[in-house]
Amino acid sequence: MGNCASSRAGPASRYGSSASGKATAIPGAVFPGPHKEMATAVCASGQTGEWISGDDAGAVALVDWARGGATEHWAGHPKSVTGVAAAAWLDGAISASRDTTVRIWRRGTLLAPTATLVGHDLTVSALAVSATQAGRIFSGSRDSTVRLWDATTSACLSKSYISRNVVTCAAWVKGDSSCVWQGSEDLRLRLWDVRAMVKPTATLEGYTCFPLCIAASEHTCVTGSNGFSGGGKGGGCELRVWDRRALRQNALFTAHTTAVTAVALLPGAQMASASRDGTLNLWQGAASGVRVLDTASLGSAVTSLSPANEDESKARLYAATEDGAIRAFSAGASGLRRLCLAEASALEETHGRPQGWSGERP
């Protein structure tokens, strides 16, 4: 894995719309979900048929969607959850919050987190977890710092401060023990080697509107940007594809009319992107041949996307929305198909912010 710069060459609508613009019904089971407030984050749990999700009230839930209900519900953050993560070395969940902490939860332990990582001065706005090195957690904050943590001791192993590096998103490079991508409001994308966090391994530029979300594979990083209504022609709302080997931007795509708030890389040369306008796009292809294969309208601003577990036989994608709902989708050559909808219960409008949410993390 070595150097980071690798040398190798009310519940939502029940309907969706295809790329042709024709509305089609999206089937699937519907059951009461765990969130009463805006669902802010979702990720696969590492177990078949499960996801982890967080909300604006500070709650984190573990949901067995195949059975139609939450199996764990942790309520320890006093402020909104900004990100959730799972790890093979943890039987539980990891969450970041506006309360400036990262917390670690274990199944069967409901009253308190098993660990709380304290050190950031402002909102923890980005969270990434190593899949290959046990206990390693990367966090970024609006305090312009990034930190590496040891989850087993709750110790901060290293940190780096860069003026105006207001962190918006982060993703660990798949299959690598040391490399993490990080986006910022200063219109830069940084690549960190966590073994030596004195400065980034690389800093890439080219944004007109800062990145809000990120996904990474071994050699590719995809970001989705904030933007103005309509996007395009310098207005943002685009997807940018970056090459880790060449350290340059390979492609730029626009298909959303408002800020791109979530992106995910999927098997079979597919990726998904979603927006504050409530649309979910499924992309197919590689390099210049990428196209929108299917589009679904979720009826509420999308806050987070996550690929399902790699060994999942049915689901390929999870989506969280501002109305408090979480959905599981299959995704293939025929497009998107909703498998289930976990509806919000008694969503409180004062926290749902149906009109005012900008797609940015406070």
Side-chain angles (χ1 to χ4, degrees):
M1 303 309 170
N3 295 333
C4 286
S6 172
S7 61
R8 283 179 286 180
S13 169
R14 303 299 174 86
Y15 299 91
S17 59
S18 67
S20 64
K22 183 178 179 180
T24 55
I26 302 178
V30 179
F31 61 90
H35 302 297
K36 295 182 179 180
E37 314 252 356
M38 177 171 68
T40 55
V42 67
C43 74
S45 75
Q47 301 293 324
T48 300
E50 291 183 345
W51 70 60
I52 298 166
S53 53
D55 66 27
D56 201 39
V60 179
L62 179 65
V63 174
D64 186 334
W65 64 265
R67 296 184 178 182
T71 59
E72 304 279 354
H73 195 275
W74 301 288
H77 286 292
K79 294 185 178 180
S80 176
V81 172
T82 57
V84 291
W89 43 265
L90 174 68
D91 187 18
I94 304 164
S95 58
S97 172
R98 289 182 60 198
D99 67 12
T100 74
T101 70
V102 174
R103 302 195 181 202
I104 301 171
W105 313 88
R106 292 189 183 276
R107 294 178 192 253
T109 306
L110 301 179
L111 298 180
T114 57
T116 299
L117 310 183
V118 179
H120 285 295
D121 296 322
L122 296 174
T123 295
V124 182
S125 46
L127 178 67
V129 177
S130 174
T132 60
Q133 193 168 8
R136 293 298 183 261
I137 298 173
F138 180 95
S139 64
S141 170
R142 295 191 62 83
D143 64 11
S144 298
T145 69
V146 293
R147 291 174 178 258
L148 179 69
W149 305 87
D150 183 345
T152 60
T153 64
S154 300
C156 178
L157 302 178
S158 56
K159 75 170 185 175
S160 181
Y161 169 82
I162 298 176
S163 178
R164 298 195 295 177
N165 181 29
V166 179
V167 179
T168 57
C169 53
W172 212 292
V173 173
K174 185 176 181 180
D176 198 298
S177 63
S178 59
C179 296
V180 182
W181 290 103
Q182 174 250 308
S184 172
E185 286 189 9
D186 68 0
L187 302 180
R188 291 177 173 87
L189 178 66
R190 294 178 171 88
L191 183 62
W192 294 91
D193 186 331
V194 298
R195 297 168 300 182
M197 289 176 58
V198 176
K199 63 179 181 179
T201 298
T203 299
L204 308 183
E205 301 182 353
Y207 291 100
T208 55
C209 294
F210 61 81
L212 286 171
C213 53
I214 193 167
S217 63
E218 184 179 4
H219 298 307
T220 300
C221 173
V222 180
T223 60
S225 291
N226 197 14
F228 308 103
S229 180
K233 297 182 179 179
C237 309
E238 77 270 342
L239 295 170
R240 293 175 185 262
V241 181
W242 304 85
D243 189 327
R244 176 187 166 209
R245 294 162 292 186
L247 294 176
R248 69 184 181 190
Q249 180 180 302
N250 272 356
L252 184 150
F253 305 106
T254 54
H256 294 286
T257 60
T258 57
V260 180
T261 52
V263 64
L265 295 173
L266 306 175
Q270 291 186 329
M271 69 177 177
S273 63
S275 171
R276 184 162 50 90
D277 62 14
T279 60
L280 169 61
N281 286 336
L282 179 65
W283 301 75
Q284 179 72 56
S288 59
V290 175
R291 64 185 178 90
V292 176
L293 176 65
D294 197 8
T295 299
S297 176
L298 305 190
S300 181
V302 181
T303 58
S304 180
L305 293 175
S306 172
N309 301 311
E310 292 186 357
D311 61 353
E312 179 68 61
S313 62
K314 295 181 179 179
R316 285 292 177 268
L317 181 69
Y318 301 132
T321 48
E322 187 184 73
D323 61 6
I326 311 285
R327 298 164 179 80
F329 290 92
S330 63
S334 59
L336 293 161
R337 180 178 180 273
R338 198 189 76 200
L339 300 175
C340 74
L341 165 62
E343 294 183 324
S345 55
L347 181 69
E348 297 179 14
E349 293 184 4
T350 55
H351 293 281
R353 297 196 291 268
Q355 300 298 327
W357 186 62
S358 67
E360 302 173 37
R361 296 297 183 212

